[in-house]
Amino acid sequence: MVSEKLAAGRRGRTVPAVILAVILAAALATAAAACASSSSSSSSPAASATSGTATASSSASPASTATVSGAAATALITKAIANTKAAPSLLVVGSGIGTGTGSGSQQVSFTLTMVQKAGCRGTIALSKVESFQLVETGGYVWLKPTSAFYATLHLSQAALALVADKYIKVPTNNAQVADLAKICSFSGLFGQLPTPTGTSYVATPTTDNGKSAYKITQTGQAGYAYITNSSTPMLVKLAEPTASGGVIGFTEYSAPLALIAPSDAESIDGTKLGI
């Protein structure tokens, strides 16, 4: 059935399951290891390798040169999370290992532009050539896979002719796209982050992509976070430097953006595919 093949990714994993695994598990639940369980107060090779993922804009105020610890560090990361969740829009860039119903694991990367209370648009890739464009707004999700992605699904020529070069339009309440709709909202993306508590956090002044930042760590945990070293701290990066982890970076935009949904001429109703 066409709907079953479109909903399924390689190796038995559904596409939304892989994406959600990466963003919420490998990145955000990991970020719970970065914002509610972060680690290692010194810079690591993993930190250096991912320092250019994405950075948030910092304020013009002078950066602090003092290390912050205890309750003050907890308050600092809490404020950065709140500021980022309230941003008009965010560019979210990340990669990680997704696991799902099949065996093994799969590298997934993603670039999403999120707009507060509107949705998101972007690209999610399962390889260099297997990817799909995503738009979520106004109660619908539009998906536009590459031809290489379609090839892995072994669709019939009739099915391929039907989808052609169009977006597949599906209501957000459809179970097959519910997880994708979830990651396109600020509440869904950040919903896995617990509120930092305790006094074991340390914020160490450093730089990220040439800009002043704090590296947030917590004793005994493998994850870490970077936030801007500014009067309005913002999340810059959440990372889990392990074989099954991932990294996710944020760029904060100061002005609202508009999301434009694909037109009817550019789309095909998912019900025509049995979705």
Side-chain angles (χ1 to χ4, degrees), residues 105-192:
S105 59
Q106 181 172 2
Q107 182 75 31
V108 178
S109 61
F110 48 90
T111 300
L112 299 173
T113 297
M114 302 181 60
V115 180
Q116 193 73 252
K117 298 180 180 180
C120 81
R121 66 171 180 261
T123 302
I124 297 172
L126 307 183
S127 74
K128 290 183 178 179
V129 294
E130 296 171 45
S131 64
F132 59 90
Q133 296 177 51
L134 166 69
V135 179
E136 190 277 320
T137 190
Y140 289 91
V141 172
W142 286 262
L143 300 172
K144 187 178 183 181
T146 59
S147 57
F149 184 92
Y150 276 131
T152 67
L153 305 181
H154 305 295
L155 299 178
S156 68
Q157 290 299 314
L160 288 173
L162 186 62
V163 294
D165 191 34
K166 295 181 181 294
Y167 285 88
I168 301 169
K169 181 181 179 181
V170 186
T172 54
N173 59 7
N174 184 295
Q176 297 187 55
V177 299
D179 286 343
L180 289 176
K182 182 177 182 180
I183 65 172
C184 273
S185 70
F186 280 68
S187 59
L189 187 66
F190 291 103
Q192 298 296 309

Side-chain angles (χ1 to χ4, degrees), residues 26 30 33 39-40 44-47 215 221-224 238-247:
T30 292
S39 82
S40 174
S44 66
K215 183 178 182 180
Q221 301 298 329
Y224 58 87
L238 304 171
E240 174 68 14
T242 63
S244 59
V247 61

